[in-house]
Amino acid sequence: MALSMFNDPLLGALIEPNMGFQGCRNPLDQLFGAVSGGPSSSWMLAPRHHAFDVVETKDAFEFVADAPGFTSEEITVALDQGVLTVKGKHAEERKEEGSDGKVWRSERHAMSFSRAFTLPDNVNAEGISANLDKGVLKVCVPKAPEQPKEEPKRIRVNAQ
């Protein structure tokens, strides 16, 4: 009997002929579920951090992130010692009964994120603003005028 990955007891049928990618999905879910101790491979698809776009314009730094389902009360933006921290925490709403009957499946869950960005010295901390519009968070950090850099002071070395 020849070895075949299609009959391997651990891997199962990784690829079913003529099924394309869809034929891989359930066996891969089972494989990664067995390896991770969980029921599926969804842990692999979750981002390791909340994605932000960071854009530097002539006058400001802009931090933009998708935050669907979050309210402005659920998002915190803080600046401490040159580090901009953006946090969001969305509570889970569990219902056993819907308005028209029993809930059969609930896939929405609590979400939270936290990101920290070290800012350069030339920012105007008093002018920072944050807006949440249609599920998109935009934090604007205006630039301060750059201070002229001091020339290094030369210290005379004395000989004895």
Side-chain angles (χ1 to χ4, degrees), residues 72-94:
S72 59
E73 292 81 23
E74 296 172 322
I75 296 175
T76 304
V77 179
L79 179 66
D80 185 24
Q81 298 181 357
V83 177
L84 180 73
T85 303
V86 182
K87 295 180 182 180
K89 185 171 185 177
H90 183 64
E92 181 175 6
E93 293 183 32
R94 287 258 180 204

Side-chain angles (χ1 to χ4, degrees), residues 121-135:
D121 294 332
N122 66 327
V123 298
N124 176 4
E126 300 303 317
I128 297 175
S129 64
N131 294 305
L132 182 64
D133 185 30
K134 298 178 184 169

Side-chain angles (χ1 to χ4, degrees), residues 76-113:
T76 304
V77 179
L79 179 66
D80 185 24
Q81 298 181 357
V83 177
L84 180 73
T85 303
V86 182
K87 295 180 182 180
K89 185 171 185 177
H90 183 64
E92 181 175 6
E93 293 183 32
R94 287 258 180 204
K95 294 182 181 179
E96 296 298 322
E97 293 287 328
S99 60
D100 294 332
K102 183 177 180 178
V103 175
W104 285 95
R105 186 175 186 109
S106 179
E107 295 182 337
R108 296 182 303 149
H109 53 83
M111 296 181 290
S112 65
F113 67 89

Side-chain angles (χ1 to χ4, degrees), residues 9 11 18 47 55 58 63 72 78 89 104 106 139 144 151 157 160:
L11 299 179
N18 303 322
V55 178
K58 183 181 92 173
F63 300 83
S72 59
K89 185 171 185 177
W104 285 95
S106 179
V139 180
E151 291 292 320
V157 178
Q160 298 205 20

